[in-house]
Amino acid sequence: MSLTSQVEKWVDEVAELTGPAKIAWADGSKGEYDRLVDDMLRDGTLLPLNSRTYPNCYLHRSHPSDVARTEQLTFICSRSRDAAGPTNNWMAPDEGKSRLTGLFSGSMKNRPMWVIPYLMGPAGSSMSRVGVMVTDSAYVVASMHIMTRVGAVALEHMRDADDFIRGMHSLGDLSPERRFILHFPDEKLIWSVGSGYGGNALLGKKCHALRIASVQARQEGWMAEHMLILGLEDPEGRIAYLAAAMPSASGKTNLAMVVSSLPGYRVWTVGDDIAWIHVDKQGQLRATNPERGFFGVAPNTSAKTNPNGAAMVRSNTIFTNVALTPTGEPWWEGIGPEAPAGMLDWQGRPWKPGDGPAAHPNSRFTVPAQQCPSIAPNWEDPEGVPISGFIFGSRRARVVPLVFEAFDWDHGVFLGSAMGTETTAAITGQVGVVRRDPMAMIPFCGYNMADYFGHWLATGPRLKNPPKIFRVNWFRRDAGGRFLWPGYGENVRILKWIVERIQGRGKALETPIGHVPAPGALDDSRLALPADALDAALHVDRDEWSRALDELRAFYDQFGGRMPTAIWKAHAETARRFGL
Ligand code: OXD
Ligand code: MN
């Protein structure tokens, strides 16, 4: 039996069900990418952009009802409802399959079916994993080329004939009524139908590298996290690697490639969205980025907010749902230059100021990671990079200070589990309401989150020097609604304090929720902050925390007896330290 016999058998079964006009195996070559692009330019799936200012860049306009991840249509089909837990949508595996079989049946008639073997993670790494995805969308194939390592390299990393995640994707009729994203963790299987957009359709990303991988990671003793990975280089040339969890569209990509405002400091990018983290033989956590590209939010990406991001999307980039200038350039809100006259909006309609956003708020760029000017020279190191600190960050106008440090590993896990955030346009639904988003994993954890907290807690004792854990919030506002902290390049000042704490140097004050920077400990040289802004940004408010702890209790309660006692203990100790 050959190594690919199971792959071929499964592909045959899918073809039997979906009835494609033909089957094409993707090899990941440049020639293949170019042919896909040519075909899509011909049938209008892609529009060319200005080849002088944006060489090899294209614009794709998705169906107007298919513009973001649809969490309400995303299900974990574990054997039991409890295994998925109260924060996931659950569907019984048999029910999922019988409901979707009808939608997949004949869905590829008259369309080619692509088979994409892809590798998540660097070539040659024991942490990397294989997936095989079938799809009837050429846009998805081209995007997978950018976001993953496609072709023979993937099949070469299979450890046995069954060692691959199966992903079946069809555009269906793109109707939200008939859109489902189902995960069968017990069968290493993903079924996605009815959407061609981002995390719903590029199955290597959220479906495989987070939802399915998080289940495998727990079983196998590693971690699959919704985290960027960066290295902060100090003036002596030492690099400390940090991994940071932040909810979708909350500045994770910007932070991953931030240009330092502090002379002598430099940030190196290893990943901007997902980290696979293993404990090595020495008890050190090591992280790889399973992806090969960035699928970033375009609005507010500019030479000011993210100079490296703005530079990397000037070639070889697929833009989705941005606006188009008359000279064939992409445009979005916050790009910097004013909107020129005669623009088309993200749906291709003539646009004028006052018409509302020209680019969709969740419009995206898809670009090879290698093009990022700050990409770390060792970003594809098969051994991964050693992680010495974790950061949990979310969007909170109130309550959560700019930065603080957990007392110890268990307390840090509690802080991660306590994270709430204001929602953004990355998911369909209301924007700006606070929702609980522990470790930024609420949409991405493929199993019961109480067990996920338990897995984090169990990992700490396996580590020789557990990374220190920090909480950040760049988004705190004053009473007038103004941001208290300038963010972007200035966030390096926070990273600097974090690394100083890791090295045992940074000064801190103890508060009931952890250690905040002592007066003068945050480097604010040449930073003209309004008087008291830093104090206000770091303030720990007893009344606000009292309410937050109540909200948290209600959130934890839904997990019943499954919730680890260490989390409840940290909750109770916080209340006690506040004298509540
Ligand atoms: C993303 C997301 O696309 O989190 O990374 O939505
Ligand atoms: Mn993400």
Side-chain angles (χ1 to χ4, degrees):
M1 202 168 68
S2 82
L3 197 57
T4 55
S5 58
Q6 296 287 339
V7 176
E8 285 157 28
K9 184 165 165 280
W10 176 70
V11 168
D12 286 347
E13 283 163 19
V14 174
E16 177 92 356
L17 175 64
T18 57
K22 64 169 194 178
I23 301 178
W25 285 72
D27 65 14
S29 65
K30 177 164 181 320
E32 178 173 272
Y33 182 83
D34 292 344
R35 281 192 301 280
L36 282 161
V37 166
D38 283 347
D39 288 350
M40 288 191 280
L41 287 171
R42 226 172 293 119
D43 73 13
T45 305
L46 292 184
L47 300 173
L49 292 173
N50 188 313
S51 60
R52 197 174 46 80
T53 51
Y54 283 85
N56 297 319
C57 291
Y58 306 97
L59 168 63
H60 172 69
R61 296 190 183 122
S62 75
H63 190 278
S65 71
D66 186 25
V67 291
R69 284 186 293 102
T70 40
E71 290 179 8
Q72 72 283 12
L73 306 174
T74 301
F75 291 80
I76 302 298
C77 303
S78 43
R79 275 184 215 111
S80 74
R81 185 188 287 272
D82 267 0
T87 59
N88 276 313
N89 298 317
W90 176 79
M91 209 188 278
D94 286 350
E95 184 193 343
K97 285 189 185 153
S98 68
R99 282 177 73 173
L100 265 67
T101 296
L103 300 179
F104 276 110
S105 176
S107 67
M108 299 189 188
K109 208 167 133 221
N110 304 326
R111 297 184 200 166
M113 173 174 113
W114 288 89
V115 183
I116 315 169
Y118 63 89
L119 180 68
M120 299 308 288
S125 172
S126 59
M127 303 183 214
S128 298
R129 292 288 188 273
V130 178
V132 179
M133 169 177 184
V134 298
T135 180
D136 52 5
S137 160
Y139 165 78
V140 166
V141 186
S143 302
M144 288 292 285
H145 263 240
I146 297 176
M147 296 302 296
T148 71
R149 296 158 180 91
V150 168
V153 65
L155 300 173
E156 282 158 14
H157 282 74
M158 285 171 61
R159 293 164 301 181
D160 60 60
D162 187 45
D163 184 28
F164 67 103
I165 305 297
R166 297 144 168 84
M168 175 161 72
H169 172 254
S170 174
L171 295 171
D173 63 5
L174 287 178
S175 158
E177 310 297 307
R178 284 173 290 282
R179 178 176 302 157
F180 290 98
I181 300 98
L182 305 190
H183 306 74
F184 304 86
D186 305 306
E187 297 168 62
K188 298 188 292 193
L189 178 67
I190 303 157
W191 280 15
S192 166
V193 67
S195 166
Y197 203 84
N200 288 344
L202 311 181
L203 301 189
K205 195 174 181 62
K206 305 300 189 182
C207 301
H208 175 166
L210 286 175
R211 297 196 191 96
I212 299 281
S214 60
V215 175
Q216 290 187 310
R218 174 160 171 256
Q219 285 161 355
E220 298 170 9
W222 50 283
M223 306 162 89
E225 301 297 332
H226 190 205
M227 290 184 172
L228 66 81
I229 310 164
L230 63 78
L232 180 70
E233 181 172 344
D234 68 15
E236 283 77 50
R238 286 172 304 197
I239 302 180
Y241 293 94
L242 307 170
M246 292 174 182
S248 311
S250 297
K252 202 143 102 275
T253 301
N254 291 349
L255 182 65
M257 51 195 73
V258 68
V259 173
S260 168
S261 65
L262 288 175
Y265 286 83
R266 176 165 190 173
V267 166
W268 294 102
T269 312
V270 179
D272 84 325
D273 194 39
I274 300 176
W276 282 0
I277 310 171
H278 288 242
V279 185
D280 74 8
K281 288 201 185 66
Q282 285 73 43
Q284 167 68 50
L285 283 181
R286 304 194 71 92
T288 58
N289 169 11
E291 301 190 279
R292 194 185 151 260
F294 303 127
F295 179 65
V297 176
N300 287 324
T301 303
S302 71
K304 186 163 161 280
T305 62
N306 183 350
N308 285 326
M312 76 184 172
V313 300
R314 295 302 294 245
S315 61
N316 308 315
T317 301
I318 299 180
F319 295 92
T320 303
N321 292 345
V322 298
L324 183 63
T325 71
T327 47
E329 282 159 348
W331 191 92
W332 51 80
E333 279 63 28
I335 194 173
E338 288 285 296
M343 241 174 30
L344 299 180
D345 76 0
W346 63 278
Q347 294 185 70
R349 302 171 302 197
W351 180 91
K352 53 181 184 345
D355 280 354
H360 189 278
N362 190 37
S363 52
R364 299 278 182 145
F365 51 77
T366 312
V367 59
Q370 197 61 54
Q371 288 191 192
C372 181
S374 60
I375 195 77
N378 55 343
W379 80 283
E380 293 186 287
D381 187 336
E383 302 298 322
V385 295
I387 295 297
S388 52
F390 282 117
I391 300 174
F392 294 119
S394 71
R395 283 178 179 265
R396 291 303 300 265
R398 275 180 284 280
V399 191
V400 181
L402 176 60
V403 58
F404 59 104
E405 179 195 332
F407 294 122
D408 55 28
W409 179 266
D410 282 12
H411 183 241
V413 177
F414 162 69
L415 292 181
S417 79
M419 204 154 84
T421 197
E422 287 146 27
T423 51
T424 66
I427 46 163
T428 48
Q430 210 184 338
V431 170
V433 297
V434 175
R435 78 156 173 178
R436 306 247 59 91
D437 192 359
M439 280 91 164
M441 279 291 276
I442 205 90
F444 306 122
C445 185
Y447 62 101
N448 192 312
M449 276 212 122
D451 299 344
Y452 168 79
F453 302 144
H455 180 46
W456 264 83
L457 291 165
T459 303
R462 293 172 59 206
L463 308 176
K464 188 141 165 269
N465 286 314
K468 285 193 183 292
I469 300 181
F470 299 83
R471 178 76 169 88
V472 302
N473 174 27
W474 324 134
F475 301 92
R476 200 170 189 182
R477 294 175 191 252
D478 66 12
R482 283 173 299 264
F483 287 115
L484 286 163
W485 176 251
Y488 303 113
E490 307 302 353
N491 291 339
V492 170
R493 298 168 189 273
I494 311 290
L495 299 182
K496 180 181 171 204
W497 181 76
I498 285 175
V499 171
E500 286 169 355
R501 289 296 292 169
I502 291 168
Q503 294 167 344
R505 296 186 289 129
K507 298 270 176 302
L509 290 181
E510 187 171 327
T511 78
I513 55 169
H515 290 107
V516 298
L522 265 187
D523 185 339
D524 61 357
S525 48
R526 294 178 315 282
L527 187 66
L529 281 186
D532 300 339
L534 206 48
D535 285 349
L538 292 172
H539 176 65
V540 178
D541 189 284
R542 184 174 181 274
D543 291 342
E544 285 183 346
W545 275 90
S546 165
R547 280 193 295 277
L549 288 171
D550 285 346
E551 281 165 28
L552 209 48
R553 186 176 300 112
F555 176 70
Y556 290 164
D557 269 341
Q558 62 182 327
F559 296 97
R562 219 158 167 140
M563 195 67 181
T565 47
I567 300 285
W568 277 120
K569 198 163 144 239
H571 183 276
E573 277 170 8
T574 310
R576 186 186 50 73
R577 282 193 291 266
F578 274 116
L580 293 165

